[in-house]
Amino acid sequence: MAKGAHRTSSPREAKEYEEEVIQISRVTRVVAGGRRLRFRATVAIGNKKGKVGLGTGKAAEVVISIQKAILQAKKNLINVPLWKETIPHEIRVKSGSARLLLIPAGPGTGIIAGGPARKILELAGVKNILAKCFGSTNKLNNSYATMEALRSLKSIPVKVQQTPVKPKMEKEAGAAMESAAPDAAQENSAQETQHS
């Protein structure tokens, strides 16, 4: 019998969250006898439907550090309020030395952002947004600032989303009809007085 004949081939399960490695950096610690080298991975995960998380992990090997970061990101998941494929309102955030500005954009704009902010916003499911990072070029600090901004977004109440907005022309036409109605009533009363 051939090797592996008893194994059943099972299809791979679809992952619940997509993963994006933001940064892998070498970090060293000075110990007696020299330096100890390790790797730090920063990973963002999300389902592109409003859930996103960020995690960091350190290990002697890159693969293990990424796995640790994914586990931490799953613990730090947040819900992002989305409105018409963008964010509900403009927001400014300061996290450490990093400052971030997020502005909602109209349909067809796309994600205009750079670095880690772009990856995190894509994983959150935002499709149209303008973002700008100030103050720091550190990817880890900018990632934390982006997460802080998404965490502090307020969702739009359901009533506001459902109330239809009347076009300006309809309002003007309605006002003209209302002003014309009293004039017609006055003319009718004047004609009745003349006949009698």
Side-chain angles (χ1 to χ4, degrees):
M1 192 181 253
K3 284 185 179 179
H6 296 291
R7 290 182 192 163
T8 56
S9 60
S10 59
R12 283 190 172 184
E13 293 179 18
K15 287 187 178 179
E16 187 180 357
Y17 298 106
E18 290 186 31
E19 301 152 10
E20 192 79 49
V21 177
I22 292 171
Q23 184 183 35
I24 294 174
S25 54
R26 278 187 335 176
V27 290
T28 54
R29 185 174 63 182
V30 179
V31 293
R35 292 177 178 168
R36 185 169 294 170
L37 177 74
R38 295 164 85 197
F39 295 96
R40 183 189 67 202
T42 307
V43 178
I45 64 167
N47 64 355
K48 296 194 174 183
K49 293 176 186 173
K51 267 195 170 180
V52 69
L54 180 72
T56 57
K58 285 183 191 172
E61 293 180 25
V62 175
V63 177
I64 297 169
S65 67
I66 291 172
Q67 288 171 353
K68 283 184 179 179
I70 291 168
L71 284 173
Q72 191 186 356
K74 284 182 179 174
K75 291 177 187 174
N76 298 334
L77 280 170
I78 61 167
N79 287 319
V80 180
L82 298 175
W83 189 65
K84 294 183 180 176
E85 297 185 334
T86 185
I87 56 173
H89 56 87
E90 182 179 318
I91 189 161
R92 290 173 187 265
V93 169
K94 188 174 189 300
S95 173
S97 63
R99 289 178 293 127
L100 182 74
L101 169 65
L102 296 179
I103 303 170
T109 307
I111 299 176
I112 299 175
R118 181 184 195 88
K119 291 180 180 179
I120 292 170
L121 291 166
E122 277 178 0
L123 290 171
V126 181
K127 297 214 171 113
N128 302 301
I129 195 166
L130 304 167
K132 180 68 182 166
C133 297
F134 304 98
S136 174
T137 56
N138 186 312
K139 288 185 178 180
L140 188 59
N141 284 346
N142 286 333
S143 301
Y144 284 139
T146 307
M147 289 298 290
E148 184 59 38
L150 294 177
R151 193 178 288 115
S152 51
L153 283 171
K154 293 180 174 68
S155 59
I156 291 179
V158 178
K159 288 182 182 177
V160 176
Q161 291 179 8
Q162 291 178 348
T163 49
V165 179
K166 286 187 178 179
K168 195 173 181 182
M169 289 172 47
E170 284 184 20
K171 287 181 183 176
E172 290 173 359
M177 294 284 283
E178 287 173 9
S179 63
D183 294 339
Q186 287 177 359
E187 286 176 17
N188 289 341
S189 61
Q191 286 175 359
E192 287 174 7
T193 53
Q194 286 176 357
H195 289 296
S196 59

